[in-house]
Amino acid sequence: MMRRTGFLLLLAGLAACFEDPVSGGSTINGSYALQSINGAPLPNTPSASDTSRVIVVDDVITLYGGFTYAQSGHRRANESAPVLDFHGTGTYSIEGTSVRLRSNETGLQRIAQINANTMTLIEPQRTWVYRK
């Protein structure tokens, strides 16, 4: 009986470690919709490069309880091009007040800060702001 009680207390303690890992919220799980790229609203062209000029129409990242995520949205090659769907999945880990996203498709890793209902991805030359 004593072992069982000790084991249950250990499990409860571990669960508490994951209850509020980032600042300002009780859970990071949920859907975060892209609000802006470099401070500009959507639709937005995050790159000024002629070779990679893509218009981001919308984007949503959903964090699930099992440390997995899904990302979906719409892009277009230029203003007259058709809107194309994209979907991706991956895993995430909590690192202090940050979340590391790892893409299953590309292996790309990105780090986001989550504060309350806002997720901010900072990349070289780009800042993506998502909100629940």
Side-chain angles (χ1 to χ4, degrees):
M1 181 69 171
M2 186 78 147
R3 275 190 189 173
R4 186 175 179 182
T5 303
F7 180 71
L8 291 174
L9 287 174
L10 176 65
L11 284 178
L14 287 173
C17 291
F18 293 105
E19 185 175 321
D20 190 14
V22 292
S23 62
S26 62
T27 181
I28 63 169
N29 298 341
S31 295
Y32 296 82
L34 183 61
Q35 302 297 305
S36 66
I37 303 170
N38 292 338
L42 301 178
N44 187 305
T45 306
S47 175
S49 167
D50 290 337
T51 60
S52 64
R53 189 172 178 86
V54 173
I55 298 169
V56 177
V57 177
D58 58 40
D59 189 38
V60 175
I61 297 174
T62 302
L63 301 178
Y64 297 105
F67 296 102
T68 62
Y69 76 90
Q71 184 172 7
S72 63
H74 299 91
R75 307 277 194 267
R76 59 186 342 159
N78 57 54
E79 292 189 20
S80 60
V83 175
L84 303 174
D85 295 341
F86 79 92
H87 302 278
T89 60
T91 60
Y92 71 89
S93 59
I94 299 169
E95 301 176 359
T97 59
S98 299
V99 174
R100 180 180 300 269
L101 303 167
R102 291 179 189 87
S103 169
N104 288 337
E105 291 78 22
T106 65
L108 176 71
Q109 295 186 32
R110 299 176 294 164
I111 296 178
Q113 294 286 320
I114 298 181
N115 188 346
N117 292 326
T118 302
M119 177 193 304
T120 305
L121 282 166
I122 300 174
E123 299 176 336
Q125 303 175 353
R126 291 185 203 114
T127 300
W128 307 69
V129 177
Y130 294 79
R131 289 209 176 83
K132 267 190 184 180

